[in-house]
Amino acid sequence: MCKYSKLIPIIFFFIFLIINSFAKPITIKVWYPDELGVKPKYVDKAAEDFRKAFPDVNLEVTRYKIPSGDFLTKLLLAIDAKEAPDVFHVGGTLMPEFVEAKYIRPLTPYVVKWEDWQYYPKSIKDAVRYKGHYYTIPYGLDVRWLYYRKDIFAKAGLPTDWKPKGWDDILNTAQKIKNSVPNVIPFVIYAGVAGGGGTVNHGYIPLLYGTKALAYDIKSGKYVIDTSAVKKVLEFYKKAFIDLKLVPQEVLTLPKPWTTMREKLGAGELAILFEGGWVYGGWVTKYGLENVEKTVGYTLMPSEKGTPYFTVGGLGTCWYISSQSKNPDLAWEFIKRFNTRDIVAKINIEDPHPVARLDSAELPEFKAIKYLYDCTQILNQAKFEPMAPGISKFGNRVQLMTGRVASGEMSVDSALQKFIEEMKSDFGDVIIK
Amino acid sequence: MKRNQFLILGLLPAIFLMTFLFVLPSLWGIYSSFTNMALLGKEAANFRFLGFENYIKLFKDSAFYTSFFNTIYFVIGSALIGQFLLGLIIALLIDYAERRKIPGRGIVYGIVLLAWINPTLIAGFQWSAMYDYYYGTLNTFLKFLGLPKINWLGSIPMLSVIVANIWRGTAFTMLIWLSALKTIPVELYEAGKIDGANAFNRFRYITVPMLRDIITVNLIQITMATMGAFLLIWAITSGGPGLKTTTLSLFAYRTAFESYRLGYGSAIAVIMLLINLFFGIIYIRLFRRR
Amino acid sequence: MKILVFIIFILIIIFFSIPFLWLYLSAFDKEASAFIKLPNFTLSNFIEAFKEYNFTRYLINSSFVATITMLLTVLIVAISAYSISRIKWRYKNSLLYSLLLLHSIPLSTTMVPIYGIMRTLHLRNSYLGLILVYTAMQLPFLIWLMKGFFDTIPEELEEASWIDGCTSLKALFKVILPISLPGILVVSALSFLGAWGESMLILILVDSEKMKTVPLVFYEAIRTVGGYMEVRYELVSSFAILFQIPVVILFILSRKLLATSIVPGVER
């Protein structure tokens, strides 16, 4: 054999490598968390449509059956290790943080050419714009209600079409229930670290907005602490938890207070609860629509003295394109196929949320459901969650502050002082009124 | 010496593995404590070298002090007092029961051991069910006796978690003492009895001196293990309510994986390392008097 | 006095066994709850674990990883501990203490770089990756333990065997190993259990369904299955029983096989 015989296998190997790299199909990775089991069929439908349109592309969809917090950790680690998926699904509140971390791509070039973009109302478009760019397309929005048990109200001799005239009315109503209906928790509002995001978005923020104050100033990019407003919020917590003992202390310590409290309201053991709109669907699944319509009422959150009534809106969870994606155009094609009129309508019928697109809201099967109809109506009165970077740090400080007051550990003034110190330490510059 | 060289060869695989999966990550961790590395937010895009700024911030952070003192309570309560004393007492009792043929010692030994080899997550699950406010075994028992329910995880979280940890870890001390007690010749005790010493004095003047080194090692081991204990507390209270059961290890974890501030979290970890160092030196000093 | 000791024994037994009674009763109960009660006996929880939750796969994964980790760990620990025990060096003790100290850096810090290393080596979601990490993380403590054990075996024994003509290596096998068997068994058991029950690194090292281990599934169960609904005690208890199987087996074995004086009931 000639002396170059050893080279032949090496040459073949390199030819093999070269062919392989050309023949390798483009892969688009899509990751999302889901425990409830509603999303998969819609994600799969979008995937199917995508594959039909792009048969040469390898679309890998992975569903993680883990809580969204654990998914977030997993996602962030993957991004850090430069192994991010092309498309991922996280909460809209984190958008500013993801932008600041340079983790996501703006969708602006795509949406301006998208014919469906016209169906999204201006308020939604404004909500997904950060520093001049659009970063995501929401589909199922979050709203919150002040839920109450009509049957318990009837037992207490209260009118079942409740429209609280202000914070004091809420407390008085709860007090009446405490006095007349035994074995029932009068009122729950989340506080402390145990409440997690619930403390912030179902407790603190609704109350804060009720004083007409804001938490974050978009223009200057700084957090705002309106001391007199925050004091009022803390006073409410103090009254509810300590003075009148309308909210049980376990709310501060249960491992998953939101799960427990939702169950309790559904079972008729809790009278008043401020929670997310998505919880209603859970009760309907468990107890049947007719039953729930008879027993569970919902009303808007009042401001401190009554008007304006409002709800706290959130973007829900949505899809983003990773900045590490090598094929952003294809990634967009997937997102586009998920955000169709029909998918958006159907997924939000199954997992009740108001929809972000007007044409989905007009679909008869969507309009037919009273609860969803009501949710969509109140979007006009929605004040959105603060869209700010560092929102998780802020949330943590709020949790600590409310927890300290609700447990009696600190007085309102000390807790507020502490909060100001901690916010300054976290964010440096904070606007204090 | 040729033998020494041969022995060093034997150490290579261990050194290799530990360097890559231990030493290097730990060094990275120490390095990151001097930066503001983060997994989210603008620091994720580019981090800055901060020098000692994280540590200064830490010393001004009340959450740090809370978790620091919680760690102390937890270690003293569950390890130094709980596991050490309980393990000692059980070992002594079993030893005594062996000599006097009291029944039950086998079961005691077995069940204490079972609690120790039981995976931590399961132990956490069991105890969170025991402590459950509405339906837990403990409160159900109290209700049965006509007593009011106790909010274990709400009002006395640290105590609850300490008890769970004592339940979990006593076996280790018990094992150490059991095997150690057997190394003391019976004759010494007999001699002591003849001299008129009662049980307590026999313990103090015979047992303790002979087992001094073992006591030292045991105390070091359980202190360090308890200081780093994470899963049990995490599974029962996640550090709550608020920060009441957040020890330094939980504080470090939450900072790194809930707030995603890696640099700050690593600073906490380095402090933990220094504390371990501190305790280690103290124990060695105290007991190396011989 | 004897009666007092007996009563204390009863109390201790009650304290230590209640959580287990609850666990075992709940796993076989159709309507288990957080309190201990007589079960509405059923095996359906276990059936569900295997059918709906793919537990066979998880058990296989965990068994394989734990076994190989145990073998690798024992091998490395035995050799390393022997070496450290016999080596003559001034700074030996300082090295030992620093080893133990390094061990006490909490996992939360080393988790992120370990994630990076494993990903670079493409060892995430692989048996090899898990085995290497689990072995490495147990080495400091187990080497320390085994070294202490070897320290109690006088060097004269080996020296005697050298005079008899054995090489160092042969001496190790023929003389030291038999005597150190109890220590080796302890290290085997600890390393197996350590790998079997590892619940922190697995969170970041594995996410593919076919590589999941039992602790990971259990962790997800106590956080997920209760996420939107209350915790399903009966199902999670059955997971716990499956999770505990090798633990209980080892426990029973250790009572029978370990005829050394560590176990009470055996005459000195």
Side-chain angles (χ1 to χ4, degrees):
Chain A
M1 263 301 226
C2 63
K3 2 178 224 177
Y4 297 107
S5 62
K6 278 202 191 144
L7 277 177
I8 297 179
I10 300 178
I11 295 174
F12 269 115
F13 178 65
F14 275 112
I15 295 178
F16 176 74
L17 271 185
I18 295 172
I19 293 180
N20 227 358
S21 63
F22 275 119
K24 217 184 282 193
I26 300 176
T27 306
I28 300 285
K29 289 199 246 165
V30 175
W31 289 6
Y32 71 106
D34 178 71
E35 295 179 277
L36 205 52
V38 173
K39 291 199 187 73
K41 53 174 150 335
Y42 300 101
V43 176
D44 292 341
K45 171 96 182 46
E48 209 187 294
D49 289 342
F50 180 90
R51 287 189 184 111
K52 264 192 239 150
F54 300 96
D56 295 329
V57 176
N58 178 18
L59 181 71
E60 256 178 45
V61 175
T62 315
R63 170 200 176 190
Y64 290 95
K65 259 205 252 177
I66 56 181
S68 49
D70 293 353
F71 175 75
L72 181 62
T73 305
K74 196 186 285 294
L75 177 68
L76 291 176
L77 284 175
I79 294 178
D80 186 54
K82 303 277 184 291
E83 272 201 342
D86 296 88
V87 178
F88 54 81
H89 196 260
V90 292
T93 11
L94 291 171
M95 195 177 79
E97 301 228 51
F98 271 82
V99 176
E100 295 291 339
K102 302 207 174 71
Y103 286 164
I104 53 181
R105 261 178 174 268
L107 298 182
T108 322
Y110 304 112
V111 295
V112 296
K113 286 190 245 151
W114 189 33
E115 59 273 6
D116 289 4
W117 193 229
Q118 57 175 313
Y119 297 115
Y120 289 82
K122 181 175 182 307
S123 54
I124 302 283
K125 287 185 185 160
D126 286 343
V128 290
R129 197 173 51 229
Y130 184 75
K131 292 197 172 160
H133 276 281
Y134 299 109
Y135 283 96
T136 188
I137 317 243
Y139 56 93
L141 299 167
D142 290 336
V143 290
R144 279 97 179 171
W145 292 106
L146 197 54
Y147 291 107
Y148 61 97
R149 290 288 304 198
K150 295 194 221 176
D151 47 358
I152 299 181
F153 270 48
K155 267 198 220 149
L158 295 161
T160 56
D161 56 346
W162 190 36
K163 197 171 165 124
K165 301 188 204 69
W167 291 2
D168 286 336
D169 192 8
I170 299 179
L171 293 176
N172 290 335
T173 310
Q175 185 68 55
K176 273 211 196 91
I177 294 172
K178 184 171 177 194
N179 294 339
S180 45
V181 187
N183 295 329
V184 144
I185 302 176
F187 175 46
V188 164
I189 183 170
Y190 300 117
V193 180
T199 300
V200 184
N201 292 318
H202 303 169
Y204 183 75
I205 294 288
L207 290 172
L208 186 70
Y209 285 176
T211 65
K212 306 207 176 86
L214 286 177
Y216 182 76
D217 178 43
I218 301 185
K219 273 210 202 81
S220 60
K222 297 201 194 131
Y223 280 92
V224 177
I225 305 180
D226 184 335
T227 48
S228 57
V230 176
K231 261 208 202 140
K232 285 189 202 162
V233 175
L234 294 179
E235 287 290 340
F236 182 85
Y237 269 110
K238 179 157 172 285
K239 275 196 218 138
F241 277 82
I242 308 278
D243 299 339
L244 301 171
K245 294 208 182 19
L246 298 167
V247 187
Q249 286 284 310
E250 305 90 82
V251 169
L252 299 171
T253 63
L254 288 168
K256 289 195 193 120
W258 54 92
T259 312
T260 316
M261 291 310 153
R262 284 177 203 169
E263 293 257 327
K264 288 210 177 285
L265 191 117
E269 294 164 22
L270 165 61
I272 306 174
L273 176 68
F274 189 77
E275 254 284 9
W278 55 91
V279 182
Y280 196 80
W283 293 323
V284 168
T285 315
K286 191 159 181 197
Y287 298 103
L289 185 62
E290 222 190 290
N291 222 324
V292 176
E293 277 183 344
K294 246 196 285 174
T295 51
V296 178
Y298 44 90
T299 181
L300 287 172
M301 184 70 182
S303 292
E304 189 195 350
K305 304 272 194 294
T307 54
Y309 291 88
F310 63 96
T311 181
V312 178
L315 290 175
T317 43
C318 359
W319 299 98
Y320 299 85
I321 301 183
S322 160
S323 49
Q324 288 173 21
S325 172
K326 297 199 183 64
N327 302 286
D329 297 349
L330 287 173
W332 163 251
E333 291 293 329
F334 175 81
I335 296 183
K336 199 167 80 167
R337 282 169 176 74
F338 182 87
N339 281 293
T340 62
R341 180 195 62 176
D342 289 339
I343 290 186
V344 169
K346 292 208 181 90
I347 195 173
N348 288 300
I349 289 174
E350 228 186 291
D351 181 18
H353 288 261
V355 290
R357 346 174 11 145
L358 298 170
D359 57 349
S360 298
E362 287 305 311
L363 280 179
E365 56 261 43
F366 187 85
K367 264 175 124 166
I369 303 175
K370 177 181 186 301
Y371 176 69
L372 286 177
Y373 184 73
D374 290 342
C375 287
T376 319
Q377 294 302 96
I378 65 171
L379 277 178
N380 294 327
Q381 287 133 298
K383 299 192 193 186
F384 276 83
E385 299 162 15
M387 191 56 86
I391 194 79
S392 31
K393 277 191 241 173
F394 166 74
N396 180 244
R397 297 305 179 193
V398 163
Q399 289 163 9
L400 286 172
M401 174 172 65
T402 54
R404 289 173 181 136
V405 170
S407 66
E409 195 186 318
M410 279 192 186
S411 70
V412 167
D413 290 316
S414 335
L416 177 57
Q417 263 318 109
K418 193 92 222 187
F419 178 67
I420 294 178
E421 272 169 39
E422 291 171 344
M423 287 290 283
K424 281 208 190 129
S425 150
D426 279 343
F427 294 102
D429 226 347
V430 173
I431 303 176
I432 305 190
K433 293 211 189 130
Chain B
M1 234 178 51
K2 202 158 172 228
R3 174 139 161 93
N4 248 17
Q5 288 169 347
F6 169 72
L7 292 173
I8 290 179
L9 212 66
L11 283 174
L12 284 181
I15 291 179
F16 180 72
L17 268 181
M18 286 196 291
T19 307
F20 267 104
L21 293 167
F22 236 116
V23 179
L24 285 185
S26 304
L27 289 177
W28 181 93
I30 296 177
Y31 166 68
S32 71
S33 72
F34 294 106
T35 71
N36 63 357
M37 278 194 228
L39 280 177
L40 199 56
K42 59 177 167 8
E43 294 89 5
N46 29 274
F47 63 89
R48 280 186 302 135
F49 187 78
L50 290 178
F52 284 97
E53 213 177 289
N54 275 337
Y55 293 94
I56 298 176
K57 240 176 134 185
L58 212 50
F59 287 118
K60 291 202 255 173
D61 191 349
S62 66
F64 172 68
Y65 288 108
T66 310
S67 48
F68 179 78
F69 284 112
N70 282 340
T71 311
I72 301 218
Y73 300 144
F74 186 67
V75 171
I76 294 182
S78 70
L80 299 182
I81 299 180
Q83 290 173 18
F84 187 74
L85 284 184
L86 192 60
L88 174 61
I89 293 174
I90 295 180
L92 287 175
L93 288 179
I94 291 181
D95 192 61
Y96 183 78
E98 250 183 26
R99 280 179 277 136
R100 300 302 166 91
K101 306 278 188 293
I102 305 176
R105 60 190 185 277
I107 303 182
V108 171
Y109 177 81
I111 196 75
V112 173
L113 197 64
L114 190 63
W116 182 54
I117 57 181
N118 188 34
T120 320
L121 275 186
I122 299 184
F125 173 63
Q126 287 170 293
W127 280 96
S128 60
M130 294 279 284
Y131 285 135
D132 185 74
Y133 182 67
Y134 293 109
Y135 301 115
T137 304
L138 292 176
N139 278 352
T140 310
F141 185 62
L142 287 177
K143 252 203 307 202
F144 178 72
L145 290 179
L147 297 167
K149 297 194 283 234
I150 298 180
N151 189 358
W152 302 94
L153 300 180
S155 317
I156 40 171
M158 186 48 94
L159 185 66
S160 307
V161 149
I162 286 177
V163 168
N165 199 38
I166 293 176
W167 179 87
R168 174 115 179 69
T170 297
F172 183 66
T173 310
M174 176 189 77
L175 285 175
I176 303 275
W177 278 98
L178 272 178
S179 57
L181 284 174
K182 301 211 200 277
T183 64
I184 303 178
V186 192
E187 298 78 45
L188 278 179
Y189 288 120
E190 313 264 301
K193 259 196 270 190
I194 293 173
D195 281 349
N198 62 25
F200 184 71
N201 282 333
R202 287 204 300 276
F203 178 70
R204 192 164 158 215
Y205 292 114
I206 302 176
T207 318
V208 176
M210 293 225 65
L211 301 182
R212 191 166 250 139
D213 278 343
I214 298 185
I215 296 178
T216 316
V217 172
N218 185 225
L219 282 173
I220 296 180
Q221 285 169 327
I222 59 178
T223 302
M224 286 179 169
T226 310
M227 197 109 65
F230 173 81
L231 268 182
L232 187 65
I233 306 179
W234 184 251
I236 302 180
T237 63
S238 297
L243 291 174
K244 288 203 191 145
T245 56
T246 300
T247 57
L248 286 174
S249 58
L250 268 85
F251 186 43
Y253 182 85
R254 295 177 81 165
T255 310
F257 291 103
E258 282 182 7
S259 316
Y260 299 114
R261 290 139 77 199
L262 297 177
Y264 199 57
S266 299
I268 303 168
V270 169
I271 301 279
M272 287 176 68
L273 182 63
L274 293 174
I275 295 178
N276 269 322
L277 188 66
F278 175 72
F279 273 107
I281 295 179
I282 290 206
Y283 281 134
I284 295 171
R285 284 277 160 84
L286 265 181
F287 286 97
R288 273 285 162 98
R289 275 184 282 141
R290 278 218 286 162
Chain C
M1 184 63 182
K2 277 169 92 167
I3 301 177
L4 182 65
V5 172
F6 184 67
I7 294 178
I8 298 180
F9 275 177
I10 298 286
L11 289 175
I12 294 176
I13 292 175
I14 293 180
F15 173 62
F16 277 92
S17 60
I18 289 190
F20 286 111
L21 276 177
W22 171 79
L23 189 69
Y24 296 138
L25 289 176
S26 298
F28 292 99
D29 190 346
K30 203 147 176 99
E31 291 131 24
S33 169
F35 61 88
I36 193 169
K37 65 179 185 52
L38 288 173
N40 181 353
F41 189 85
T42 177
L43 284 175
S44 66
N45 302 322
F46 290 94
I47 297 178
E48 195 180 339
F50 282 104
K51 274 179 100 180
E52 309 287 331
Y53 286 91
N54 201 13
F55 235 81
T56 337
R57 179 83 214 183
Y58 307 143
L59 284 170
I60 294 176
N61 287 340
S62 280
S63 312
F64 183 71
V65 169
T67 310
I68 308 292
T69 303
M70 171 183 77
L71 296 173
L72 186 62
T73 306
V74 167
L75 189 65
I76 298 184
V77 165
I79 300 178
S80 308
Y82 177 75
S83 301
I84 294 189
S85 167
R86 300 310 189 222
I87 238 179
K88 316 264 183 272
W89 193 32
R90 261 187 307 164
Y91 300 111
K92 185 162 87 164
N93 270 335
S94 332
L95 186 69
L96 284 171
Y97 283 124
S98 49
L99 199 69
L100 215 58
L101 232 49
L102 213 64
H103 179 237
S104 48
I105 283 198
L107 218 47
S108 56
T109 303
T110 50
M111 268 169 93
V112 179
I114 289 180
Y115 178 88
I117 294 174
M118 287 286 120
R119 180 213 62 106
T120 313
L121 297 172
H122 294 286
L123 285 177
R124 286 188 73 241
N125 286 315
S126 72
Y127 285 135
L128 182 63
L130 287 177
I131 293 169
L132 288 178
V133 172
Y134 287 171
T135 305
M137 71 183 220
Q138 301 197 71
L139 286 179
F141 177 67
L142 291 176
I143 292 181
W144 171 279
L145 196 69
M146 197 69 198
K147 172 227 179 239
F149 197 87
F150 276 131
D151 281 347
T152 65
I153 301 178
E155 290 205 52
E156 289 82 49
L157 273 173
E158 292 139 73
E159 286 164 16
S161 72
W162 295 340
I163 295 174
D164 283 350
C166 293
T167 63
S168 245
L169 205 61
K170 252 187 165 185
L172 181 61
F173 278 104
K174 284 189 135 182
V175 179
I176 306 291
L177 269 183
I179 301 184
S180 53
L181 202 59
I184 293 195
L185 285 178
V186 170
V187 170
S188 309
L190 288 178
S191 59
F192 182 88
L193 290 179
W196 174 269
E198 202 286 320
S199 323
M200 284 192 76
L201 286 172
I202 190 76
L203 293 175
I204 58 167
L205 289 177
V206 168
D207 43 39
S208 96
E209 185 61 30
K210 52 191 175 86
M211 288 304 287
K212 281 190 188 167
T213 59
V214 178
L216 180 58
V217 178
F218 187 75
Y219 174 83
E220 287 176 359
I222 51 182
R223 289 176 52 105
T224 301
V225 180
Y228 271 81
M229 309 141 280
E230 280 290 349
V231 177
R232 285 187 56 197
Y233 288 108
E234 69 278 1
L235 185 66
V236 183
S237 299
S238 70
F239 284 9
I241 306 289
L242 293 172
F243 189 2
Q244 270 187 343
I245 291 178
V247 169
V248 172
I249 293 179
L250 262 158
F251 173 67
I252 298 176
L253 279 179
S254 72
R255 304 292 311 268
K256 298 202 165 163
L257 291 181
L258 263 184
T260 68
S261 50
I262 298 180
V263 180
V266 177
E267 294 305 319
R268 268 185 278 180

